[in-house]
Amino acid sequence: MQHFYIDAKREFAEEYIFRSILMNGMYEGLYPLGTALSRPLIAKRVVEIARRVGADAVAHGCTSKGNDQVRFELTIKALAPDLKIIAPARVWGMTRAEELEYAKRHGLPVSAEHRKFSIDDNLWSRSVEGGPLDDPAAEPSEEVFKWTVAPEKAPDKPTYLTLEFRDGLPIAINGERMDPLALVTALNGIGGANGIGRIDHMESRVVGLKSREVYEAPAAVILYHAHRDLEKLVLTPRELRFKHGILDTTWSDLVYQGLWVEPLRVALERAAEEMERWVTGTVRVKLYKGALWIVGRESPYSSYSRELADYNRGWYPSDEEARGFIKMWGLHSLIAIRRRRLAV
Ligand code: ARG
């Protein structure tokens, strides 16, 4: 028997996490997709090894209840349609207790926390589910969290960060240039120490059931808010609404739902890249006891005009211009309510 150990952190950061930053990857508004993003990369590496050793089948440990079976199998099928896929836990209909029993019988050590919860972690997030978390009404106990301190135990002084973005992607923290892997690692540390990134999510799985998921994702939460803020400074309102309302949410749904291989995913990224060419600048973030505020932003491509916004310069728009605008702006609605004799 052979064992392969693969460290794909750098590729994960550069090719998966950074795309997700560009696309504001976030499922149902709360989950930064850490587990979902990792599955296509794992599948790719498994297929490479299957080819190298001449295997005619690959196996994974997913049950029938989750999203991961969909993500792994669709990516494997796309890369290697001839490879047989075997899912023993699913075939045997194993319960978690039976899985633990199986591991014990075969001398595979399982830690106490993995006995209690189902945990998946990588550079972008730590996902915890199952056990006591299956009661959505009960607050997660402190033992669930590994990456983040409890907000009430976080430092009494705020931490300020200056994040620099180029073409929609983060390149530096507090003036220090960092590659994607170093940057995400650093933000997980700083955010976690300030209690940032705890997420408690009622999640709609692809297989027809809801689940209560708890995540820790300090870097993902900081970068999501900082990047969206910079987009708000730079993009036109039409670009913003199209990107957030259509591109980002569609992309996040595809990634969550196991459809990394769907051609639309790449098309959405291309459309976003065109707009993100201007999402360059810096964002200042304040972290304090589990909360995060964006307290400043700057960009050479800012769409904000201080002159226009300033209430002390009254010359634009003129009274006449404003009246004309308001009249035409509301005309559709005014005609409709009159014709329909609607009460307002
Ligand atoms: N619910 C998340 C997802 O579908 C996380 C799954 C984590 N996997 C696990 N075995 N705990 O992406």
Side-chain angles (χ1 to χ4, degrees):
M1 202 154 59
Q2 253 182 313
H3 176 263
F4 295 87
Y5 173 83
I6 299 168
D7 181 351
K9 281 204 282 293
R10 193 163 292 281
E11 184 181 2
F12 186 49
E14 290 168 6
E15 302 296 329
Y16 295 79
I17 291 176
F18 263 45
R19 271 173 225 240
S20 194
I21 295 170
L22 198 83
M23 303 309 291
N24 297 312
M26 199 57 91
Y27 182 62
E28 295 182 325
L30 273 186
Y31 168 39
L33 300 170
T35 297
L37 283 165
S38 72
R39 284 2 189 180
L41 173 56
I42 294 171
K44 186 167 108 182
R45 291 312 182 85
V46 165
V47 168
E48 278 165 19
I49 287 176
R51 293 304 192 213
R52 199 174 341 145
V53 302
D56 56 10
V58 295
H60 63 71
C62 302
T63 67
S64 62
K65 284 186 192 284
N67 302 310
D68 287 337
Q69 52 177 341
V70 183
R71 299 168 181 151
F72 283 131
E73 294 194 22
L74 283 179
T75 312
I76 293 166
K77 278 176 183 297
L79 294 169
D82 56 298
L83 271 183
K84 210 173 139 196
I85 303 169
I86 310 169
R90 196 175 64 196
V91 173
W92 295 330
M94 287 167 103
T95 63
R96 196 154 175 87
E98 285 164 356
E99 288 175 355
L100 289 170
E101 179 51 39
Y102 181 92
K104 198 170 156 193
R105 225 177 326 128
H106 292 82
L108 297 165
V110 178
S111 70
E113 62 164 5
H114 282 92
R115 269 173 206 288
K116 192 152 183 186
F117 303 103
S118 170
I119 304 170
D120 176 69
D121 61 3
N122 60 46
L123 188 62
W124 200 225
S125 71
R126 181 165 176 274
S127 312
V128 190
E129 60 187 39
L133 295 174
D134 280 347
D135 175 5
E139 182 178 355
S141 62
E142 264 319 296
E143 65 176 340
V144 169
F145 303 102
K146 278 278 140 66
W147 290 12
T148 55
V149 303
E152 41 290 45
K153 297 224 171 95
D156 289 324
K157 276 211 336 241
T159 300
Y160 286 89
L161 296 174
T162 302
L163 299 178
E164 190 178 338
F165 288 84
R166 179 178 297 163
D167 299 343
L169 293 171
I171 56 165
I173 305 174
N174 297 335
E176 191 186 332
R177 289 287 296 245
M178 288 184 197
D179 64 32
L181 174 55
L183 188 135
V184 172
T185 307
L187 286 180
N188 275 332
I190 301 166
N194 283 281
I196 304 290
R198 293 188 171 190
I199 298 162
D200 187 337
H201 186 213
M202 285 315 300
E203 190 166 297
S204 313
R205 288 191 186 167
V206 297
V207 289
L209 56 97
K210 294 231 185 212
S211 62
R212 195 276 191 92
E213 306 279 335
V214 174
Y215 300 103
E216 293 181 282
V221 167
I222 295 169
L223 288 166
Y224 173 81
H225 288 288
H227 178 250
R228 279 200 64 165
D229 187 275
L230 192 58
E231 287 184 332
K232 287 191 173 178
L233 179 69
V234 170
L235 298 180
T236 70
R238 293 178 182 96
E239 286 176 317
L240 260 184
R241 277 161 187 62
F242 185 69
K243 183 159 188 299
H244 294 165
I246 297 181
L247 299 185
D248 295 350
T249 47
T250 308
W251 191 90
S252 300
D253 282 351
L254 289 176
V255 172
Y256 183 84
Q257 293 164 355
L259 291 166
W260 181 262
V261 298
E262 160 65 46
L264 177 60
R265 196 236 335 137
V266 181
L268 296 169
E269 290 168 10
R270 294 274 188 282
E273 277 160 14
E274 180 62 29
M275 298 179 211
E276 296 285 321
R277 287 163 60 202
W278 318 108
V279 182
T280 289
T282 56
V283 179
R284 249 169 88 70
V285 190
K286 178 178 177 175
L287 313 177
Y288 182 62
K289 288 194 181 290
L292 169 165
W293 298 265
I294 308 296
V295 293
R297 68 287 283 162
E298 272 176 318
S299 169
Y301 307 113
S302 168
S303 294
Y304 170 78
S305 160
R306 191 164 182 177
E307 245 183 305
L308 281 179
D310 189 345
Y311 281 125
N312 292 316
R313 302 186 194 209
W315 54 269
Y316 175 82
S318 68
D319 175 58
E320 200 185 346
E321 285 167 333
R323 280 173 192 281
F325 166 73
I326 294 163
K327 188 170 161 187
M328 293 171 84
W329 172 248
L331 202 50
H332 284 303
S333 311
L334 293 179
I335 290 173
I337 57 168
R338 274 173 209 150
R339 292 277 152 81
R340 298 175 195 181
R341 298 183 206 291
L342 293 176
V344 180

